[in-house]
Amino acid sequence: MGKATGFLEFPRQNEGYEAPEKRVRHYKEFVLALDDQAAKLQGARCMDCGIPFCNNGCPVNNIIPDFNDLVYRQDWKSAIEVLHSTNNFPEFTGRICPAPCEAACTLGINDEPVGIKSIEHAIIDKAWEEGWVEPQVPAHKTGKTVAVVGSGPAGMAAAQQLARVGHDVTLFEKNDRIGGLLRYGIPDFKLEKTLIDRRMAQMQAEGVTFRTGVLVGSDNMPAGIVNDAREVVSAQSLLDQFDAVLLTGGSEVPRDLPVPGRELKGVHYALEFLIPQNKEVAGDGKNPIRADGKHVIVIGGGDTGSDCVGTSNRHGAASVTQFELLPQPPESENKPLVWPYWPIKLRTSSSHEEGCERDWSVATKALTGENGKVTGLTAVRVEWKDGRMQEVAGSEFTLKADLVLLAMGFTNPVGSVLEAFGVDRDARQNAKAATEGEQAYATNVPKVFAAGDMRRGQSLVVWAIREGRQAARTVDAYLMGHSELPR
């Protein structure tokens, strides 16, 4: 490493934020990225630990010590080449990945880990500014055709990899814009959509064809799933037209809350609130679900719930309360016990800092209303013993609620797509496909493959990119007999 003692000399420096009172007035990104000098010092903290656990902590196996060292040496162009060798879209992961690599950092055993995510963010932003991100047009075309169904990060990564080795790739999306939950699930204040648009331009130059508003399978969509399809294409037509089909849709079926009052107006799945808001920011008309002046309750303590909190604050909610069924995690993890694995600890997002009451070990008993509209929520405190939840006697309480958002995660992908192709499903109703061996990501149906949340279940953007890249290699090998794509 360029600075062998850097971890002893320089403290961790986190990226900054615009003040909450300012950022809640807009939907732009508000993270203050590290400048060149701060990124250099952060790269200097990488400690030449011998066994870089961060590489395995990262699902795409980013070559982290190498690009840390290159940033320390201010060789930014080499840094982006190393970063792009494993990650198609570091501008996405550098913004919204929870950074399991940092949890695995050796320095994190007894100190603050290296700010790997902030370095990644700095590298890719400089690369775009300097014009180093260019289309990688294949030297020759193979004559093979591939349909990729679902344009989230898994589909985008797979489509780009396959196009770069010369296949004719068509990426299908049921909604009106490419990007999946990157486009519509994640608010603009966390990920501005111009980042997706410029990657799309690169992919088009590389030979990817985008078809939006096309639903593959049937128009039988479960409740809570936004569907802008103008056209329905049968599974058989794709099998007839393409040499291979890769299914990369998301895990979109939301977990419901079966309690009395669920049918009241003002009770919505999280994405019924977030997707129209992203469309509003894009200029597609007003979000019909408003939090202005309302008492908002968000049920679910994860990232989607946090996004509901941030969006409600930007609407001007009177109050925002977030419930979590599980107990409150410890403020700091037990590092000797959990390192290098992802720790359970209290995580406070930027949205929480903008204004939110949080409560743990709370179960919703009923929703109450007047004239068909929700007006309140009845809950009870619970305790966990031997992995089982028990209600605490006499702990019921009620809260005023004008808008209730259900952000309790997603159970499985849309079944109609898998049914249309005849793909077998696992016990969790995801597409059944292994991830190892020559048949990795292959389903039971000849020339049909599956990757991302559709195969894995609800997961992270970085895992979707990993699976998209790996599936692309398998598809390429299936078509050509071998593959030079990285795994």
Side-chain angles (χ1 to χ4, degrees):
M1 304 303 296
K3 185 69 171 175
T5 59
F7 70 98
L8 298 171
E9 300 174 34
F10 308 119
R12 177 183 171 101
Q13 181 177 340
N14 294 314
E15 295 176 316
Y17 291 154
E18 184 182 14
E21 60 271 18
K22 292 184 178 180
R23 67 185 191 240
V24 294
R25 300 174 187 168
H26 63 78
Y27 290 88
K28 297 287 188 182
E29 290 182 10
F30 51 79
V31 173
L32 307 177
L34 301 184
D35 60 25
D36 288 7
Q37 182 62 20
K40 173 180 178 176
L41 296 182
Q42 199 57 218
R45 298 183 71 234
C46 194
M47 59 186 298
D48 196 13
C49 58
I51 300 176
F53 289 90
C54 56
N55 285 31
N56 285 335
C58 172
V60 293
N61 302 123
N62 278 336
I63 311 169
I64 293 164
D66 289 31
F67 69 62
N68 283 345
D69 182 53
L70 290 165
V71 169
Y72 169 71
R73 299 175 186 278
Q74 297 290 277
D75 186 354
W76 292 91
K77 193 166 186 180
S78 295
I80 187 56
E81 290 172 0
V82 170
L83 181 52
H84 265 154
S85 71
T86 57
N87 186 350
N88 295 66
F89 312 121
E91 63 269 47
F92 303 158
T93 53
R95 285 168 166 81
I96 59 175
C97 180
C101 56
E102 294 187 14
C105 175
T106 302
L107 183 56
I109 294 174
N110 63 344
D111 198 351
E112 290 296 309
V114 175
I116 301 167
K117 179 179 174 180
S118 62
I119 294 173
E120 182 176 335
H121 186 179
I123 293 171
I124 185 57
D125 280 10
K126 179 172 282 293
W128 279 108
E129 290 166 8
E130 297 294 334
W132 297 333
V133 185
E134 297 179 325
Q136 297 180 28
V137 181
H140 60 86
K141 302 292 282 186
T142 65
K144 302 292 186 179
T145 58
V146 183
V148 180
V149 181
S151 73
M156 289 181 68
Q160 184 168 62
Q161 294 292 94
L162 290 164
R164 286 176 173 177
V165 291
H167 303 307
D168 289 319
V169 182
T170 302
L171 186 54
F172 291 88
E173 170 57 50
K174 71 178 182 298
N175 290 313
D176 60 358
R177 289 182 174 90
I178 294 295
L181 288 186
L182 290 172
R183 175 76 67 178
Y184 287 130
I186 297 170
D188 288 70
F189 56 79
K190 289 175 67 175
L191 181 74
E192 291 185 17
K193 308 317 172 192
T194 53
L195 303 176
I196 305 173
D197 296 336
R198 66 187 182 186
R199 278 296 179 183
M200 286 177 59
Q202 180 196 33
M203 292 171 66
Q204 283 179 312
E206 293 168 343
V208 177
T209 299
F210 298 110
R211 289 190 60 187
T212 58
V214 179
L215 183 65
V216 175
S218 71
D219 200 15
N220 182 24
M221 293 287 103
I225 295 179
V226 177
N227 171 21
D228 295 328
R230 303 176 300 274
E231 177 185 358
V232 179
V233 173
S234 71
Q236 189 59 51
S237 68
L238 291 194
L239 292 171
D240 292 341
Q241 294 175 46
F242 293 89
D243 297 311
V245 178
L246 175 57
L247 305 178
T248 57
S251 180
E252 296 182 84
V253 179
R255 186 170 283 107
D256 206 350
L257 183 69
V259 298
R262 169 64 180 90
E263 75 287 351
L264 292 168
K265 292 181 180 178
V267 183
H268 301 275
Y269 292 116
L271 290 185
E272 291 177 329
F273 176 59
L274 295 175
I275 291 176
Q277 185 58 48
N278 283 10
K279 291 189 174 189
E280 178 181 321
V281 174
D284 292 348
K286 269 289 198 188
N287 184 352
I289 302 173
R290 307 298 305 177
D292 315 55
K294 294 181 179 178
H295 297 281
V296 180
I297 295 180
V298 179
I299 301 176
D303 289 338
T304 303
S306 173
D307 294 341
C308 290
V309 171
T311 302
S312 297
N313 283 325
R314 281 159 179 75
H315 279 199
S319 69
V320 183
T321 304
Q322 185 177 24
F323 289 150
E324 170 57 59
L325 187 65
L326 296 173
Q328 180 174 344
E331 291 194 11
S332 297
E333 71 270 35
N334 185 337
K335 288 184 178 181
L337 179 65
V338 300
W339 180 88
Y341 301 108
W342 185 247
I344 296 175
K345 67 176 182 179
L346 180 63
R347 303 176 193 276
T348 299
S349 73
S350 58
S351 294
H352 295 139
E353 293 170 352
E354 294 163 3
C356 176
E357 292 292 327
R358 304 165 74 186
D359 205 348
W360 289 264
S361 296
V362 173
T364 302
K365 296 286 288 182
L367 300 165
T368 56
E370 296 177 4
N371 301 318
K373 295 182 179 180
V374 67
T375 57
L377 179 147
T378 301
V380 64
R381 302 206 172 273
V382 298
E383 57 185 4
W384 294 82
K385 293 182 178 180
D386 300 323
R388 292 184 144 190
M389 184 185 76
Q390 298 178 352
E391 294 184 6
V392 177
S395 66
E396 274 197 12
F397 63 97
T398 60
L399 286 178
K400 183 173 177 56
D402 306 306
L403 176 63
V404 177
L405 301 171
L406 308 181
M408 302 174 295
F410 303 88
T411 59
N412 53 272
V414 178
S416 57
V417 178
L418 301 179
E419 290 167 5
F421 283 94
V423 171
D424 287 345
R425 287 182 271 184
D426 63 18
R428 296 186 299 154
Q429 299 304 300
N430 301 317
K432 188 176 182 179
T435 59
E436 300 294 335
E438 294 183 1
Q439 296 300 310
Y441 299 97
T443 70
N444 61 298
V445 181
K447 78 178 186 179
V448 177
F449 302 81
D453 286 6
M454 181 161 274
R455 188 211 67 83
R456 178 182 177 82
Q458 176 186 335
S459 191
L460 304 175
V461 167
V462 68
W463 272 106
I465 295 173
R466 171 196 172 108
E467 294 219 347
R469 287 172 61 90
Q470 292 188 343
R473 176 182 169 88
T474 298
V475 172
D476 183 38
Y478 165 78
L479 295 173
M480 306 302 294
H482 70 284
S483 179
E484 296 179 357
L485 285 171
R487 179 160 161 58

